[in-house]
Amino acid sequence: MSDAEALYRKKLIEQKKRTIVARKEKVELQKQIINQMEEEILLIDDIEKLKEVFIKKIVEQKERTIVARKEKIEVQKMLIEQFKKELALLKKIEEMNSNKNVPILRKEIKDLEKKNRNLKRKYEALSESKLGKLTLKYWSIKKGKK
């Protein structure tokens, strides 16, 4: 074998070694890419699961919010009804305190005062007489037995 053939073979062997090394590097890179893709797939699966959980929690929160708002509306309705009742009562009180009723109330007061004076006068007359004192004593004893 000539030097040229030996040199050619040597270079050919070196070229083949470099090709083998390059192919090994290529295979290693492909393995790394596959591993990264598998990790990305797992991450995507985890993200999908988290997304489902998140959506479920949002739906639950919205349902709770709806229930709370309905309860708030019911309470507000009850308050409105109560306010209406109180307003009606206030109007009645205002009507009673209005000037229209004052003369009627004054007349009733005068009548009651007159009846009270008459009753006091009768009581005093009864309590000052002998028979009246005896009657009052009898009534107090009778009242004590009950």
Side-chain angles (χ1 to χ4, degrees), residues 23-46:
R23 285 184 180 167
K24 284 182 180 179
E25 288 176 356
K26 181 181 174 185
V27 168
E28 272 306 307
L29 285 173
Q30 287 175 339
K31 285 181 181 178
Q32 287 176 357
I33 290 172
I34 290 171
N35 285 337
Q36 286 178 349
M37 289 176 77
E38 287 174 348
E39 287 177 10
E40 287 176 3
I41 290 170
L42 290 175
L43 286 173
I44 289 172
D45 288 342
D46 289 344

Side-chain angles (χ1 to χ4, degrees), residues 41-113:
I41 290 170
L42 290 175
L43 286 173
I44 289 172
D45 288 342
D46 289 344
I47 290 172
E48 288 296 320
K49 288 177 184 175
L50 287 173
K51 181 180 171 183
E52 288 174 13
V53 169
F54 183 68
I55 289 172
K56 189 175 183 179
K57 286 186 178 184
I58 288 175
V59 169
E60 289 173 357
Q61 182 61 38
K62 284 186 178 185
E63 289 172 353
R64 285 192 299 269
T65 303
I66 289 170
V67 168
R69 286 183 179 171
K70 284 181 180 178
E71 289 173 354
K72 183 179 177 183
I73 289 170
E74 288 299 318
V75 168
Q76 288 175 341
K77 285 180 182 177
M78 290 171 50
L79 283 173
I80 289 170
E81 289 299 317
Q82 190 64 33
F83 288 145
K84 286 179 180 177
K85 289 178 183 176
E86 287 179 15
L87 184 61
L89 286 174
L90 287 173
K91 283 182 181 179
K92 285 182 181 179
I93 290 171
E94 188 176 308
E95 286 176 6
M96 292 176 77
N97 290 335
S98 70
N99 291 333
K100 295 175 186 175
N101 293 331
V102 170
I104 296 169
L105 293 175
R106 284 185 181 158
K107 186 178 185 284
E108 286 181 16
I109 290 172
K110 284 181 183 180
D111 291 343
L112 290 174
E113 285 175 345

